[in-house]
Amino acid sequence: FVPVDALCLAAATMAFCALAKRLTGRPGGATLGAMVWVVTVAVPPLTMRMWVEPWTTTPTAALTLLCLWLLVRLIDRPSARDAALLGLAASAVLLFRPADAAILLAGAGAVAGAVTIVRRDWRSALAGLAGAGAGFAMFAVLYVTLYGLKQSPYLAASAEVGFEWRLLWLRWVTLVIDPAPLVPNEIG
């Protein structure tokens, strides 16, 4: 798993730096982003451990940061290519964390949809839907191949936990800071 996790770490780092450059609008924005990333991710041993141990968070983090960067690009300058990549990246999260994909797809879809409607960029809207459709198809093929039409153990465990929108802040604390009260023996 180390090569895959290292690839995810590299992709997340590049997406974070690109996002920092885009949001600061300055030439040194990527360097500032890299410094923040190193201090918060690479220096703390506990945080780096999470990028080495196999877990579904590593690809999800990389794809989520990629989605944020693509959304900012789409807001600044809509393009069918960015919209298609956004749809594909957001729906690819289904492969790793279906519940997170639902939230990411809803949020990214709402922002991208608003941008395309306001700018009347129907080509980008169709490209985004096609990208998301490709990700859904990839997920469906893999899911049916692995589990057939039955519920996977991961989805069954997620259903037992349940979803309550008023507790989204607690989900964030559980995933980012400390999962101890809800998920013993894990680290945030």
Side-chain angles (χ1 to χ4, degrees):
F1 292 104
V2 172
V4 173
D5 285 339
L7 183 64
C8 290
L9 176 60
T13 302
M14 289 188 304
F16 187 84
C17 291
L19 183 61
K21 180 180 178 183
R22 196 78 178 187
L23 291 177
T24 61
R26 300 183 187 277
T31 303
L32 177 63
M35 290 187 317
V36 169
W37 186 262
V38 165
V39 168
T40 59
V41 174
V43 172
L46 184 62
T47 308
M48 270 312 289
R49 189 174 119 201
M50 295 193 336
W51 286 93
V52 176
E53 292 180 1
W55 202 40
T56 57
T57 301
T58 53
T60 301
L63 288 167
T64 301
L65 286 167
L66 176 64
C67 287
L68 290 173
W69 176 66
L70 287 167
L71 272 172
V72 171
R73 284 177 53 103
L74 204 61
I75 290 168
D76 289 348
R77 181 184 33 85
S79 79
R81 186 189 72 148
D82 286 349
L85 287 173
L86 174 62
L88 181 62
S91 61
V93 174
L94 281 166
L95 297 168
F96 309 103
R97 299 184 86 162
D100 291 3
I103 294 168
L104 185 59
L105 282 163
V111 172
V115 168
T116 55
I117 288 170
V118 167
R119 297 205 173 143
R120 298 174 192 252
D121 185 5
W122 309 121
R123 187 170 162 252
S124 291
L126 290 173
L129 290 171
F136 275 112
M138 185 172 46
F139 170 74
V141 166
L142 288 172
Y143 188 91
V144 170
T145 301
L146 291 171
Y147 304 108
L149 298 177
K150 297 182 287 185
Q151 191 176 44
S152 74
Y154 180 84
L155 290 178
S158 293
E160 286 179 22
V161 172
F163 177 77
E164 173 58 54
W165 68 270
R166 291 173 292 191
L167 294 177
L168 278 177
W169 64 272
L170 182 60
R171 282 270 291 160
W172 183 85
V173 169
T174 301
L175 290 172
V176 177
I177 299 175
D178 186 13
L182 296 177
V183 187
N185 305 319
E186 287 293 337
I187 56 173

